[in-house]
Amino acid sequence: DAGDRFKFFIVLGSARSSLGDTLPPNVFFVQQPFGPKKVCQAAEKVKELFASQPESEYFGETPLETPPVSKEPAPQEETITIPETPVELVPQTPVELVCPNPSENVDAESKDQLHVLIVDDNDINVKILATFMRKLGYSYETASNGLIALQNVESSTRRYDLILMDLSMPVMDGLMSTSKIRQHEKDNGLKPSCIMAITGVASDTMREAARTAGVDDYLVKPLSLRKLKTLIGILF
């Protein structure tokens, strides 16, 4: 629809065949395994097409030349595959990623597994990390900002072995949340959780601020799931 404000689409999926043999010129397909780098590459193709074509041609009768979809394997650091799910073009009932009350569904075996708190205000990041935790067999909960993370730590009946903490969030940022979590642990004589900062800021100033707040490790986005898995293996 030429009157719609959306002019380009990036489709994420496990099989292109379900979309047909040909795609409209304003649609770019990214195949699993996918991460931030692949999505960014697709966005760059959108920018190139946008810059090279007059606006009147976006939905004109003359077909636009569609940039080829790369089928090269992802770089080594991003080769951890998110479990494939069927590509459906019809909206489906959302699948709940986290049970409402995890403590009610923890069996004896899972108590020996890591319990993780994922803290990020970006839903896509949360879903990727949640899928990865399930793949590793860990139980997990999520929080969309630092204040909710602090409240979870204070009220949870089960200690979080690992907290994956984004630093830039609304309401309460990751540094303040980490500092308050450490104070809560100290005041109540609790064994400290391992807190890993996940941020797009790589400056020495931010690293030092994170260490001061009580962060144990510092990971810079785009996050390598392979590196995260290695670090978890070393720490636990």
Side-chain angles (χ1 to χ4, degrees):
D1 182 358
D4 196 291
R5 65 189 180 92
F6 297 106
K7 300 185 185 301
F8 302 98
F9 299 86
I10 297 175
V11 179
L12 309 180
S14 60
R16 181 171 179 167
S17 59
S18 62
L19 301 176
D21 295 331
T22 60
L23 294 176
N26 60 324
V27 176
F28 299 84
F29 182 78
V30 179
Q31 186 168 348
Q32 287 184 337
F34 47 74
K37 185 173 182 179
K38 280 192 176 181
V39 175
C40 183
Q41 289 173 342
E44 288 295 334
K45 292 178 182 178
V46 169
K47 288 172 60 180
E48 291 173 5
L49 183 60
F50 179 85
S52 65
Q53 301 292 335
E55 185 169 350
S56 60
E57 293 185 15
Y58 289 151
F59 297 94
E61 295 180 358
T62 304
L64 299 177
E65 182 179 352
T66 306
V69 178
S70 173
K71 296 184 178 181
E72 296 180 359
Q76 186 67 16
E77 285 198 343
E78 296 186 2
T79 54
I80 293 181
T81 305
I82 294 176
E84 293 188 1
T85 54
V87 177
E88 297 290 349
L89 300 183
V90 180
Q92 301 291 323
T93 303
V95 178
E96 190 174 27
L97 291 177
V98 185
C99 58
N101 187 355
S103 61
E104 295 181 357
N105 296 275
V106 177
D107 56 28
E109 181 180 353
S110 66
K111 288 182 179 179
D112 296 330
Q113 298 295 328
L114 291 185
H115 190 42
V116 182
L117 178 61
I118 301 169
V119 189
D120 201 310
D121 62 321
N122 185 303
D123 290 340
I124 295 178
N125 291 343
V126 170
K127 289 180 180 179
I128 290 175
L129 288 172
T131 300
F132 188 52
M133 292 302 109
R134 284 205 307 274
K135 182 180 179 70
L136 295 178
Y138 303 154
S139 62
Y140 66 89
E141 296 177 49
T142 66
S144 58
N145 63 61
L147 179 59
I148 296 176
L150 174 63
Q151 293 170 343
N152 282 11
V153 170
E154 292 176 339
S155 62
S156 179
T157 57
R158 184 181 178 191
R159 171 181 170 272
Y160 297 107
D161 302 289
L162 174 64
I163 300 177
L164 300 176
M165 180 75 73
D166 183 24
L167 296 187
S168 300
M169 295 179 290
V171 184
M172 180 184 290
D173 63 36
L175 294 179
M176 179 62 70
S177 180
T178 297
S179 179
K180 290 183 175 294
I181 288 173
R182 292 310 190 204
Q183 188 61 49
H184 170 75
E185 292 170 340
K186 182 178 179 181
D187 292 344
N188 292 273
L190 302 176
K191 180 180 178 181
S193 299
C194 176
I195 300 180
M196 288 187 185
I198 300 177
T199 177
V201 182
S203 68
D204 292 337
T205 301
M206 182 60 79
R207 288 177 183 271
E208 183 59 35
R211 282 193 291 268
T212 301
V215 167
D216 296 297
D217 215 322
Y218 194 96
L219 303 177
V220 178
K221 297 177 182 178
L223 179 64
S224 163
L225 297 183
R226 181 175 295 278
K227 181 177 180 181
L228 177 58
K229 179 180 179 180
T230 300
L231 283 175
I232 292 176
I234 294 173
L235 292 171
F236 299 95

